[in-house]
Amino acid sequence: MKTLTLKNKFQTNATLLPNDFIDNYMVDANGEFVKVYLFLLRHLDDPCSSLTLTMIADCLNNTEADILRAFRYWEKKGLLRTERDADGKITALELQKMSLSGGEAASAPKTGLSARTAPSVSASSSAQPAAVSPAAPSTDAASASLCASRASKAVPIDSFRAQKEIKSLLFIAEQYLGKTLTHTEMETITYFYDTLHMSADLIEYLIESCVENGHKSMHYIRKVAFSWVEEGIETVSQAKEQSALYNKNCYTVLNAFGIKNRGPASSELAYIRKWAEEYAFSPDIIAEACRRTITATHQPSFEYADSILTKWHGKNIRHLKDITALDEEYQKERTAGKAAPRARAAARNLNNFERRSYDMESLEEQLLNSN
C-alpha cells in the first residue's frame, strides 16, 4: 500500500471565541469594548505580535482613552487583569478564564499577553480561551466551598479595585491637565468617585471633555460634575449626548447672532440653557428669536432675544407655525387698533358740525300771515 501524502489547505488562521462570552458578556457590553476584547483575543496566539496602546487605538479607530476605558470595563467584569508600575502605567494585560455563570470570571493561568503602554506592547501566548464546560460541580460541598470562597474575596477585591481606579484617575488627570495635582485637586477627584459615585470612565471623560474645551480649572470641572449629577448623567454615552446637545444649542445661537471665533460667556450660556432646558424650545425657534433680535436691534442682544422667547413661552409656542399664527393675530389686532381711532375721529367731526336753531312759533306765524 502506498504512503498517502496529506496536504493541508484548510484555513487555520482563526480566533476561538467562547460561547460563554457571546451568551453572558457581549449582550451588556458597549460595542467598542467588545472590539477591544476581540482584538486582544486575536493577538493571543500571535508570537510575533508587538502592540502599543497607540497601535491598538489606531487599528480600532479609537482614542487611547477609549482603549483604556475598555480595559477597565473588562477588568470590572473579571475577564481582564492589568498590571501597573509605580507610576500607574499599564505594564501587562492578562485575559482571565470565564466562569460558568458568565458573572465574575474565575481565576485562570496567565495567558502570556503582555501589554506595555510605554514604550511598547508585546503579545504572545500559546494558551487557548477556556471552553465552557456544561457539567455541574460533582458535589454540593464543592459548590458551597466555591461560593464561600468567592464571597470571602468580594470585599477586598472591590476595595483594591477602587484604589487602583482612583490611582489611575489621578495619573490620567495629571496627563490631561499637564501638571502635578495639588492635594485639593486629588481630593476633588476622589470626591467624584467616592461621594458622587461617578464611575471611573465617566470621571475620565469629564476631565477629557473639559480640557478639550479649554477648561483646565478644577473649579470648572467640579461645576460640570455637579451639573451632570443633577441631570442624572451616569454613563459616558449619556454625557456625550448631553455634550452634543449643548454644542448644538450654542452653535445655533452664536451662528444666528453672527458671533464667530469664541464660545458663549457665562451669562450668555445661562440664557441658552434657560431657552433650551427650562423653556424646552427647539433650536429652530431659538434661532428665529435671534434673527428677529438682529432685525430689531441690528446687533446681538441676549436680553432682547430673551424677552421674545419669554413671551413665546407664555403663549405656549412649540412650533414655528405657532409663531406664524401669533404674528397673524398680532397683525389683526394692530389693524383693528388703527381703525378705532379713525372711527372716533370721524364721530368727533360729526359732533362738531354747527347745527342751525329755529323758532317754530315765529315760522308758523309768518306762514299764516303770508296766506
Side-chain angles (χ1 to χ4, degrees):
M1 184 176 179
K2 293 184 177 180
T3 302
L4 301 178
T5 300
L6 182 62
K7 296 181 179 180
N8 181 16
K9 291 187 177 180
F10 181 73
Q11 175 60 264
T12 59
N13 184 23
T15 299
L16 177 62
L17 179 66
N19 289 334
D20 193 44
F21 177 82
I22 299 175
D23 296 338
N24 301 301
Y25 292 91
M26 188 177 70
V27 176
D28 297 326
N30 180 292
E32 298 300 321
F33 295 168
V34 173
K35 283 169 54 178
V36 172
Y37 183 82
L38 295 180
F39 186 86
L40 296 178
L41 198 63
R42 178 257 181 274
H43 284 276
L44 274 176
D45 298 316
D46 187 354
C48 299
S49 178
S50 179
L51 301 176
T52 65
L53 188 62
T54 302
M55 185 185 300
I56 297 175
D58 290 341
C59 289
L60 299 181
N61 197 25
N62 280 332
T63 65
E64 294 184 12
D66 292 331
I67 303 302
L68 290 173
R69 277 193 285 269
F71 287 171
R72 285 193 294 274
Y73 175 83
W74 292 121
E75 192 172 14
K76 290 177 184 176
K77 291 298 181 181
L79 296 189
L80 184 70
R81 188 176 72 84
T82 62
E83 295 179 2
R84 298 174 183 270
D85 59 17
D87 296 327
K89 294 182 179 180
I90 297 177
T91 58
L93 298 174
E94 180 180 302
L95 294 186
Q96 304 291 297
K97 182 183 295 184
M98 298 178 190
S99 67
L100 296 176
S101 63
E104 292 294 329
S107 61
K110 287 188 177 181
T111 61
L113 177 63
S114 174
R116 296 183 180 276
T117 58
S120 66
V121 179
S122 61
S124 65
S125 173
S126 59
Q128 296 290 338
V132 181
S133 170
S138 57
T139 63
D140 293 338
S143 177
S145 176
L146 177 62
C147 292
S149 175
R150 289 180 180 175
S152 64
K153 293 180 180 179
V155 174
I157 288 175
D158 289 345
S159 177
F160 178 67
R161 182 174 296 159
Q163 292 177 5
K164 289 178 65 178
E165 286 187 335
I166 292 175
K167 184 177 181 180
S168 177
L169 280 172
L170 296 178
F171 173 77
I172 291 171
E174 288 185 340
Q175 304 309 304
Y176 279 123
L177 299 178
K179 66 170 187 175
T180 301
L181 297 179
T182 65
H183 181 70
T184 301
E185 290 170 335
M186 289 189 288
E187 285 186 339
T188 300
I189 294 175
T190 305
Y191 177 81
F192 296 159
Y193 187 93
D194 287 338
T195 306
L196 298 184
H197 303 295
M198 299 175 70
S199 68
D201 293 343
L202 186 58
I203 296 172
E204 180 178 340
Y205 179 73
L206 165 69
I207 299 172
E208 177 186 349
S209 60
C210 288
V211 172
E212 286 181 351
N213 290 324
H215 300 285
K216 291 188 175 183
S217 166
M218 189 58 66
H219 177 70
Y220 179 90
I221 295 173
R222 184 168 59 249
K223 288 178 62 178
V224 175
F226 289 157
S227 68
W228 284 5
V229 172
E230 291 176 358
E231 294 168 11
I233 295 175
E234 298 178 348
T235 65
V236 174
S237 59
Q238 290 175 332
K240 288 183 177 180
E241 183 179 351
Q242 192 268 356
S243 178
L245 181 61
Y246 161 82
N247 292 333
K248 182 179 181 181
N249 290 331
C250 290
Y251 174 80
T252 296
V253 174
L254 298 180
N255 186 58
F257 276 154
I259 300 175
K260 307 293 183 182
N261 302 322
R262 73 168 180 86
S266 58
S267 58
E268 296 170 342
L269 183 58
Y271 278 120
I272 296 174
R273 287 187 177 277
K274 175 183 178 182
W275 303 335
E277 298 173 12
E278 181 181 342
Y279 290 171
F281 280 136
S282 59
D284 55 351
I285 292 181
I286 296 175
E288 178 63 20
C290 294
R291 284 192 290 269
R292 295 190 179 205
T293 298
I294 293 296
T295 301
T297 65
H298 305 291
Q299 62 182 357
S301 174
F302 283 81
E303 293 80 4
Y304 193 93
D306 181 64
S307 66
I308 295 175
L309 290 167
T310 299
K311 177 182 177 182
W312 287 352
H313 179 68
K315 296 287 186 179
N316 198 30
I317 298 297
R318 284 292 170 264
H319 305 283
L320 288 176
K321 62 181 181 181
D322 297 334
I323 299 175
T324 302
L326 185 64
D327 289 343
E328 292 175 353
E329 180 183 350
Y330 173 76
Q331 290 297 335
K332 289 180 181 179
E333 293 177 354
R334 186 177 180 183
T335 301
K338 290 182 178 180
R342 287 198 295 268
R344 288 194 296 269
R348 284 197 300 271
N349 292 336
L350 181 61
N351 292 332
N352 291 337
F353 180 75
E354 185 177 351
R355 299 169 183 255
R356 295 185 179 182
S357 58
Y358 297 96
D359 186 348
M360 298 304 298
E361 293 182 357
S362 176
L363 290 174
E364 185 180 357
E365 183 179 353
Q366 290 180 12
L367 181 60
L368 293 174
N369 291 336
S370 64
N371 292 334

